[in-house]
Amino acid sequence: LIDVEPSVPAGSTSLLTSTTAASLAASPLVIDVGPSVPVGDTPPVTSTTAAILTASLPSTDVGSLQQPLSNSSNTTRGMITVLEGFGRCSALKISVASAFALWLFLGLYIICENYFVPSLEAFGEILGISEDAQGATLLAVGSSSPELFTAIFGVLFFANENPGPSTNVGSALFNQCVIIGVSALVLPSIWPGQLEERAFWRDIAFYFIAIVTLGLVYDVITPGQIDLWESALLCGIWIAYVTVVIRNDGGVTNTRSRSMTGYPESPTPTPDGLAPNVVMRLGAPFEFLFRWTVPDPQARDPKIVRIFTMSIVWLGGLTYVVVEIAERIAQCFGIPPDIIGVTVLAVGTSAPDCFGSIIAAKKGKIKMAVSNAIGSNVFDCCLCVGLPFMIQCLVTGKSVEVESVGMEFLQSYLLLVLFAHVVMLWAGSYTLQQWHGKVFLSLYVGFVVSYLIFRETE
């Protein structure tokens, strides 16, 4: 007996097909479907109903009951996901969260400009290392340290949520395209964009080794997992890179002459007008917090180590909150996790690198800006991947299971951008020009678009 009361109104999608009804007619099963379904709606088949049908009628195709939804297009399903996200996240909440994240970006810029970069310059002068070496080591390590700490925290407390390479590769592409691109655009015209040829090829060589090794570790040697020796290999590449940078450094003479007594500092706009005053007022809370927690770098005897350490602490805290907000906003729009990793998380974790390089470039230190971008990529691909996985291997005593979705595509695009980078600067006599910056930014836009198409057609 089938009792369907009250009846389904005309115009709605029937719950049971004629074939299913005929099959049920021969069965003693009693099904009560109610209440009525409004006109135009598709009544869902609950998991309980499906389980009863499957158990009672093995020959019945329960999947046919959900045929209208199973035939929907990918676009329709994507729209449904977005609408469901808006159901959980109101437009007001998204707007407030976005505004708050932008405000935190202002705090990141202030801590970089007033404390972090000055402490790096002071460190470089104390250690006697050149501008490009400062960018490849001190600035790269300091600005990328929040990403490393986050990765280590993740493997220690969320060991079952190992990310794929998308965030690291996305950060590398952002660094190489956006950071170098914007640095080229903001470089004052009175400063030459000349790079050091030896430092250029040194950074490119190690970055190429890092890309190839990362691809071999994820997809070739032990696909789907990372062993202890593989993570140690990645860490070893970064250690070798830093060793080569320090041992082959030419000294800080040129940097000191330019930054202290040589070319004039880049002109800084005076805070006249509405927009600068608004920015100053918005940044006032950060100025207050930083003044009370970080020593003054302009003091007669500045505590450089404490300034550097507290700057990294602030960078890590602000970056974590920005990334968390951005990830939740992206989830509200139904964006898949790997796309979030390659775009939202990559941009968020690279914000300190970006601000550090832009500030250095505005001061005319283009060598530091470019070396920071490439040095950060070596740091991201080697130490930020290798060290957390090494710790997890030592703690668990076994290999780490990882995902490598889209690794071949990501690695191919990394190599493409690297090739374009080499050709443009080699052909331009290692001088970074403004049109180079526009090309780099276009390459990043092309990456985002092509990756979205790749994931849709995969």
Side-chain angles (χ1 to χ4, degrees):
L1 172 64
I2 301 178
D3 181 17
V4 187
E5 290 188 6
S7 61
V8 180
S12 61
T13 304
S14 176
L15 175 66
L16 302 176
T17 63
S18 57
T19 304
T20 308
S23 301
L24 292 174
S27 170
L29 179 66
V30 177
I31 301 177
D32 182 13
V33 181
S36 61
V37 183
V39 176
D41 288 353
T42 303
V45 178
T46 64
S47 57
T48 305
T49 306
I52 295 174
L53 292 175
T54 304
S56 304
L57 305 167
S59 61
T60 303
D61 182 10
V62 179
S64 63
L65 302 180
Q66 296 175 313
Q67 192 67 22
L69 285 181
S70 64
N71 287 337
S72 60
S73 64
N74 293 334
T75 304
T76 304
R77 283 199 295 269
M79 293 175 63
I80 292 175
T81 306
V82 171
L83 292 175
E84 289 176 350
F86 274 115
R88 297 187 303 269
C89 315
S90 66
L92 177 61
K93 291 181 179 179
I94 294 176
S95 300
V96 172
S98 301
F100 185 65
L102 291 175
W103 183 64
L104 294 180
F105 270 115
L106 177 61
L108 283 170
Y109 188 87
I110 292 174
I111 190 69
C112 283
E113 182 178 38
N114 296 343
Y115 298 93
F116 182 58
V117 172
S119 69
L120 291 175
E121 294 172 344
F123 258 130
E125 294 178 0
I126 292 173
L127 298 176
I129 59 178
S130 63
E131 180 182 308
D132 59 84
Q134 292 178 41
T137 55
L138 296 175
L139 184 55
V141 172
S143 57
S144 297
S145 57
E147 186 174 353
L148 176 63
F149 296 151
T150 301
I152 294 175
F153 181 84
V155 299
L156 290 178
F157 298 99
F158 303 97
N160 295 326
E161 300 181 7
N162 295 315
S166 58
T167 300
N168 299 98
V169 175
S171 295
L173 283 165
F174 183 87
N175 292 343
Q176 191 171 5
C177 294
V178 177
I179 292 181
I180 296 180
V182 175
S183 297
L185 295 177
V186 302
L187 181 67
S189 58
I190 59 175
W191 290 84
Q194 185 69 40
L195 303 177
E196 190 72 32
E197 180 178 353
R198 183 176 62 177
F200 172 82
W201 287 112
R202 173 201 68 202
D203 295 342
I204 291 298
F206 272 95
Y207 181 39
F208 176 78
I209 294 172
I211 294 174
V212 173
T213 305
L214 188 65
L216 292 174
V217 165
Y218 267 97
D219 253 353
V220 178
I221 301 176
T222 53
Q225 65 180 31
I226 292 183
D227 295 333
L228 178 62
W229 72 269
E230 292 174 319
S231 58
L233 174 63
L234 290 170
C235 295
I237 293 174
W238 182 79
I239 293 174
Y241 171 66
V242 173
T243 303
V244 170
V245 169
I246 299 299
R247 287 194 174 184
N248 292 277
D249 184 50
V252 75
T253 304
N254 292 337
T255 302
R256 289 179 62 92
S257 64
R258 289 190 175 191
S259 62
M260 304 298 292
T261 60
Y263 298 120
E265 292 286 340
S266 95
T268 303
T270 57
D272 294 330
L274 178 61
N277 285 330
V278 170
V279 172
M280 289 181 62
R281 291 180 182 276
L282 290 175
F286 291 113
E287 296 280 6
F288 177 80
L289 291 173
F290 298 154
R291 191 179 301 116
W292 283 95
T293 55
V294 186
D296 184 8
Q298 304 298 328
R300 178 172 299 179
D301 184 23
K303 300 176 176 59
I304 302 301
V305 175
R306 187 180 171 190
I307 295 173
F308 181 76
T309 303
M310 291 304 300
S311 298
I312 292 178
V313 170
W314 274 109
L315 287 174
L318 293 174
T319 301
Y320 175 81
V321 178
V322 168
V323 169
E324 187 70 19
I325 293 174
E327 185 176 8
R328 303 226 173 173
I329 293 174
Q331 290 173 349
C332 287
F333 286 93
I335 302 176
D338 62 316
I339 296 179
I340 292 177
V342 93
T343 54
V344 177
L345 300 186
V347 172
T349 54
S350 297
D353 291 300
C354 185
F355 291 144
S357 286
I358 290 174
I359 292 167
K362 290 176 67 176
K363 294 181 177 181
K365 300 184 177 183
I366 194 63
K367 296 177 184 177
M368 179 185 290
V370 174
S371 292
N372 168 51
I374 305 299
S376 294
N377 285 356
V378 179
F379 185 87
D380 289 342
C381 294
C382 294
L383 201 66
C384 284
V385 175
L387 184 57
F389 285 146
M390 179 189 291
I391 294 174
Q392 189 170 356
C393 287
L394 293 174
V395 171
T396 62
K398 59 182 181 180
S399 301
V400 180
E401 300 295 327
V402 295
E403 296 181 0
S404 57
V405 178
M407 185 60 192
E408 293 182 0
F409 174 86
L410 296 173
Q411 186 181 17
S412 299
Y413 207 94
L414 275 177
L415 294 174
L416 172 64
V417 173
L418 181 61
F419 177 75
H421 182 109
V422 171
V423 169
M424 284 191 297
L425 291 178
W426 174 76
S429 300
Y430 308 102
T431 301
L432 190 64
Q433 303 175 26
Q434 284 198 345
W435 72 268
H436 292 155
K438 297 175 182 178
V439 172
F440 280 124
L441 293 175
S442 299
L443 286 172
Y444 186 75
V445 174
F447 160 69
V448 174
V449 173
S450 60
Y451 186 74
L452 293 175
I453 296 174
F454 167 78
R455 291 294 291 116
E456 182 70 19
T457 59
E458 188 182 27

